[in-house]
Every structure is written in C-alpha cells, then in structure tokens.
Amino acid sequence: MSQASSSTPPTGYRAVFRVREFRAVFAAHLLSLLGVVVSELALTVLVYDLTGSPLLSALTFALGLLPYVIGGTLFAGVADRYPARRVLVVCDLLCAACVAVMLVPATPVAGLLALRCLVAAIAPVFTGTRMAALTDILGDGDLYVLGRSLLRIVSQSAMLIGFGAGGALLTVLSPRGAITVTVVTFLCSAALLRLGTRDRPARTGSASATLLKESLSGARLILGDRRVRALLLLLWLPAMFVVAPEALAAPYVAETGAGPAALGLLLCAMAVGHVGAELFVGSVLRPRTRSRIVLPVAAVGLLPLVVYAVRPGLPLALAALALAGMGAAYVIGLDQWFVDAVPPELRGRAMTLLTAGLMTIQGAGMALAGLAAEFFPVHHVVAGSGIIGTVVSLLVVAEVRRTAPGHMSDTERRDGADRHVTSR
C-alpha cells in the first residue's frame, strides 16, 4: 500500500473525482451541455433571422422540452437493452449528425425544428443511460449520490455560463458558425465516453420483446410500484411550481418597472442558490443527515415564493429566489432513496423516465404559469405557485413517508417484490 493510500482517504466530491471513469463522464457532460446551450441560443437567433417570426423563435426553445416525454417513454428500453457505453456514444453521434444537418444552408426552417425535436427526443435516453451507468461506475451508495450532485451542479452552472458564452460567440460568429461548436462538443463527448469508460454488458440480456413494448412495460412496472411512484412525484411536482418565477421573470420586470439588468439577475438567482446549497449539502453533511433533511426541506422549499404576494423589490425577490433554489438540495438525499427503490435491471428505464418526466413537467409548469398570468397579476401567480406547490409537496411528502420500508404493510412489500420478479 502506498503512502498516499495509507493516509486518510478523500471524502466528499474529491473521492468522486478520484474515479477515472467518472472524470471522463464529467468532462463529456460539461462539453456536451455547454454545446447544447450555445446551440439553443444560436438556433433561436437563426430561426428568427430566417423567418422574422417571434413565435417560431420561441417555439425553438419549447421544442427542446416537449419531445422529452416521447423519447423518455417510447425509447426508454434502449437504456437497459444495450450496453451503456454503446448507447451513450451512439446518442452523441446521432446528435452531432442532427446538428451538422442544421448547418446546411438548404435546410428549411421546418427541418431545423424537426432536427431540434429529434435531438430533444434523444436527450432523455442519453441522460437516463448515463444516470444508470453511474451506479456501475461509482456504486449505488454515497459516491453515486455525490456524482449525480456534481452533474446537477454542472447543469445549473452551464445555463449561466453557456448563455453568456453563446451571446459572446454570436458577436463574432454567424448563428450557423456558433452551432458548429455544438457538433464539435458532441463529437468530443462521444470520444471521451468511448475511450474513458469501460464496456459493460447490457442490464437485460433478453431481446425477445420489441423495444416499444419493453419501454412501455418498464414504465408500467416503474409507475406501478407505489414507493417508486411516490419518489418520482417528489422529484417532479416541486419542480413544476418552482419554475414560475423564471417563466414570468420578464413580465415581472415590466410590472415592477425594474431595468433590463434586473431580468438577468432574476434568472440567475435561483441557479446560484441551488448550486450553493448543493455544494454545501454534498460537502459538509453526512449521508444520514442528507437523508433526514429530504422530507422537511421538500415540504417547505417553495414557501419563499410566497414573498411575491407583496410584489417585492429586486433585493427581496432575489433573496426569495435564492432560497427557493436552495430548497432543491433535498434531491441529494432523495437520489439515494430512488436508486435503492429501483431494481438494478430497471434502472436505465427508471432514470430515463425520471428525466423525461422532469423536463416535461417543468415545461408544463412554465406554460401554466404563463396562462395564469393572462388573468392574474404576475406577482400573484408566483405567490400562488408557492402556496399551491407547498400544499402539493406536503401531500407527496406524506405519501413518501407512508411508503417508507418501515411503514409499508407485508402485503405491499410482497406486491412490490412480485412486480420486481416479473421485470426480470
């Protein structure tokens, strides 16, 4: 044993980065995510330049969310049927090919939007497969939870950095020139995953059922398990309500008369709170403590949005948004509960369904917030989201508590075991 290994082993995030395969996954995630954010911005500008239509330009962003439910439901079986490394590399190459076709000047606007949909449909399969593969790379204990946390932190940070980088690129490059960056990042991500991760066998060896049937049957098994369903709802439903202030940031700035700089600050505040809280919980709190705070934090995480009822000025609104972002730190402990509740042979499909549902329900939350703001003042809509979301969160928290292993009846445990057996 070397002198380094005989000393106190690294803990927290440092321990995760000591795993060589995770470093490759982390770098690939960072590259591809930055590329996607830049391409979203550049493609929106390109569509507007070609059509002059604000509707089609906005639709370009919306199409990044809507196909998630299709890809996550119909193609989820890919994540368990084929080796994870192969799925990840092929997904990256398919996305690179789609983006490359966007660069062709002859591609019509309808083609650009269709390609945007295809990339978005591939995304949940890629993300779900990667989440399941992390349990192979890091195990299904604390290292997995911290690895997931790091990827979330990168996602939040990339939104802030990526839009800034995209705006800077568009000052020196054409929209298609900026989109070229995405092709490169997808190819680099594929290379990192191909060369930096091990080739492991598929989770399910049988290919007797069609992919569609396997995907849908997996979704039925996952949603049919009361414990897993409750955990999914706790991951999904608070996210549906917390997006309201971001979706209505521009109307709120107009309502309060704040300047243009206020819009950028409002859009950044929640992400800053989320990243800060996630770093604190992942670095300072022990696994048992992270588990203990899941339900209390999930129950009250949306309450800061109620401050909007008094139409706060910029400083108070920023503080409320940062606190709401910090409330998402309960997800770190919830990740462990979720991976413990899902059988290994269903993890790929479960993670894909989780991703698809999360993106879809956030899109629905934004749409509902916008619809409500057509009839009510913006600050009342945001405050109402905090109140209704808290009530919904409390109901889901109660269900999660009822389905905890120590609270379920013998019959419920047997039913869950039967469902897991049929999935093999």
Side-chain angles (χ1 to χ4, degrees):
M1 183 177 293
S2 67
Q3 183 178 354
S5 61
S6 62
S7 60
T8 303
T11 58
Y13 293 122
R14 287 189 303 151
V16 180
F17 277 118
R18 283 177 63 89
V19 180
R20 183 187 63 82
E21 284 187 274
F22 178 78
R23 293 197 298 271
V25 172
F26 181 86
H29 177 60
L30 178 60
L31 278 172
S32 62
L33 191 58
L34 284 173
V36 167
V37 173
V38 169
S39 72
E40 286 178 347
L41 183 60
L43 186 60
T44 300
V45 174
L46 177 60
V47 170
Y48 185 74
D49 287 346
L50 292 174
T51 65
S53 169
L55 174 61
L56 288 176
S57 180
L59 187 61
T60 305
F61 266 117
L63 290 176
L65 295 175
L66 298 178
Y68 262 76
V69 69
I70 299 173
T73 303
L74 302 184
F75 307 131
V78 171
D80 290 319
R81 174 178 281 201
Y82 301 103
R85 186 176 74 175
R86 186 191 309 171
V87 173
L88 294 174
V89 171
V90 169
C91 284
D92 266 340
L93 293 177
L94 285 173
C95 289
C98 290
V99 177
V101 176
M102 293 179 188
L103 299 175
V104 178
T107 305
V109 172
L112 293 174
L113 297 180
L115 290 166
R116 179 78 178 95
C117 284
L118 184 55
V119 171
I122 294 170
V125 177
F126 179 89
T127 304
T129 303
R130 185 187 60 212
M131 288 167 62
L134 280 183
T135 62
D136 298 324
I137 295 171
L138 299 173
D140 54 10
D142 194 48
L143 284 184
Y144 165 78
V145 171
L146 293 176
R148 284 274 298 124
S149 173
L150 279 169
L151 296 185
R152 269 196 305 272
I153 290 170
V154 169
S155 297
Q156 291 290 324
S157 303
M159 295 299 292
L160 304 177
I161 298 170
F163 282 128
L169 278 174
L170 288 171
T171 64
V172 296
L173 297 174
S174 68
R176 282 196 168 92
I179 292 172
T180 305
V181 174
T182 305
V183 179
V184 176
T185 58
F186 276 131
L187 293 176
C188 289
S189 174
L192 282 167
L193 293 169
R194 175 63 179 80
L195 301 175
T197 60
R198 287 173 47 197
D199 187 19
R200 295 179 175 86
R203 295 179 182 277
T204 55
S206 173
S208 56
T210 64
L211 176 61
L212 178 59
K213 183 178 179 181
E214 190 171 334
S215 299
L216 294 177
S217 65
R220 283 195 296 270
L221 287 168
I222 293 161
L223 295 175
D225 186 298
R226 184 181 174 187
R227 173 67 174 172
V228 175
R229 185 173 64 246
L231 296 177
L232 281 172
L233 290 175
L234 193 57
L235 287 160
W236 287 342
L237 292 180
M240 179 180 185
F241 295 96
V242 81
V243 297
E246 292 180 323
L248 300 176
Y252 186 73
V253 167
E255 183 182 271
T256 58
L263 178 58
L265 291 173
L266 289 171
L267 290 173
C268 293
M270 195 174 294
V272 170
H274 187 168
V275 170
E278 187 121 21
L279 284 171
F280 174 80
V281 173
S283 301
V284 177
L285 301 186
R286 294 181 176 274
R288 179 175 295 181
T289 307
R290 292 188 215 125
S291 183
R292 285 176 176 171
I293 69 171
V294 169
L295 298 183
V297 174
V300 302
L302 293 169
L303 280 178
L305 299 185
V306 179
V307 170
Y308 270 75
V310 298
R311 198 162 72 171
L314 183 61
L316 187 55
L318 291 176
L321 292 176
L323 285 173
M326 292 169 63
Y330 78 92
V331 176
I332 300 182
L334 190 57
D335 279 339
Q336 184 66 68
W337 294 1
F338 188 71
V339 77
D340 288 343
V342 176
E345 67 274 12
L346 280 175
R347 279 180 185 161
R349 281 166 284 183
M351 302 299 188
T352 303
L353 184 64
L354 163 61
T355 303
L358 184 61
M359 296 300 292
T360 302
I361 207 161
Q362 284 180 313
M366 290 180 181
L368 289 172
L371 178 63
E374 292 288 331
F375 303 97
F376 304 100
V378 170
H379 64 286
H380 286 166
V381 173
V382 176
S385 295
I387 295 170
I388 298 171
T390 298
V391 173
V392 171
S393 296
L394 287 170
L395 293 174
V396 180
V397 162
E399 174 65 4
V400 170
R401 196 184 298 276
R402 283 192 294 268
T403 60
H407 290 78
M408 293 179 69
S409 68
D410 292 338
T411 301
E412 289 171 322
R413 278 196 291 271
R414 283 198 305 272
D415 290 345
D418 291 342
R419 279 193 291 271
H420 293 167
V421 167
T422 59
S423 70
R424 291 190 176 95

